[in-house]
Amino acid sequence: MTALRFAVFGDSRLCASRCEAIRRHPNAELGPVFSVSDVETAGTRGGRDLIKPDEVDGVIVALPAHLAYSASLGLLESGLHVLTELPGARSVEDIVNLRAAERSSRAILKFGSTLRYHASVKKASQLASSGELGKLLTARAIYGHAGLPGIDARSEGILIGHGIHMLDLLHHFCGPFETVKAMSDADAPHDQNLFALLRTGANTIAQLHCSSTSWRQTFRLELGFEKGYLWLDGHLPGLPGYGPEVLVSAKAVSGEDGSKLPNPDETVETFEKALTAESEIAEMLDTMEGRRQIEHGTSHQAFDAMNIAQRICAATERWA
């Protein structure tokens, strides 16, 4: 079987992990690599002018949102498959245009929803979907960084640059949100702290805190069900300082009088390995070869995340 060849636009920590996963995969290989400045110089036609469809099968895009959008659009219109990082664009309108190019070209468009591949998230998804814990009632999410790591966070703000990954995860567990309220401590796009309250049509309520002044780097998602809870804390490989990846699960218990008792026994599972890039690349390759459809990082999921992010921005009350 001929190896599928990937070009690379840009660079990032996640991009480096994906490139390593491609190098290790028996049916994939790396092709030409283009820097951010290469794409900037090429302009809006960068996706079509830098690479031709007969040279590669797909492209890994690791660019700031505005460049990622124009490059991905050109690549899709040329019939090339694209794996781009969330948010991958600047607006809902951009995502709509990418989805239109995806449909007309029949090329594959996958967004890098890496949090969905973490072992703790997969295990929590299994427990949540089993029905043993009942209906999901609440979700409390914190994604906190010391400063603004990454070029997208600096140019797009803490919500679009990094919080959008947690928004994607909240959609994964809660479903689409209908009601949005939010507050931030500074003018966009340089919010240091943003709080949002979200509610689904099924009345699940979610709270999100995105921060660039979290001096103790924090990733935490607390899911409260009718009959218990799931807490996800930390992630691997992650950015430095996030600590171990842990999943805490517990089922509510009742006393002799039938009332619920506090502090039920917990099961704590720690995860030592993270194969997120390998899982992501394997899904991309399987889809390119027709063995399955994209499950994580679809353009519809990217639309949902960007849509709620823009609604949060529109609803934000600022006091600075």
Side-chain angles (χ1 to χ4, degrees), residues 1 46 53 91 174 288 314 318:
M1 182 180 293
S91 65
C174 302
M288 290 169 66
R318 295 180 171 85

Side-chain angles (χ1 to χ4, degrees), residues 164-188:
I164 197 164
H165 290 274
M166 186 64 91
L167 282 176
D168 177 63
L169 204 56
L170 285 171
H171 271 92
H172 176 61
F173 283 104
C174 302
F177 295 103
E178 293 187 356
T179 305
V180 177
K181 296 183 181 297
M183 185 172 286
S184 172
D185 63 355
D187 291 335

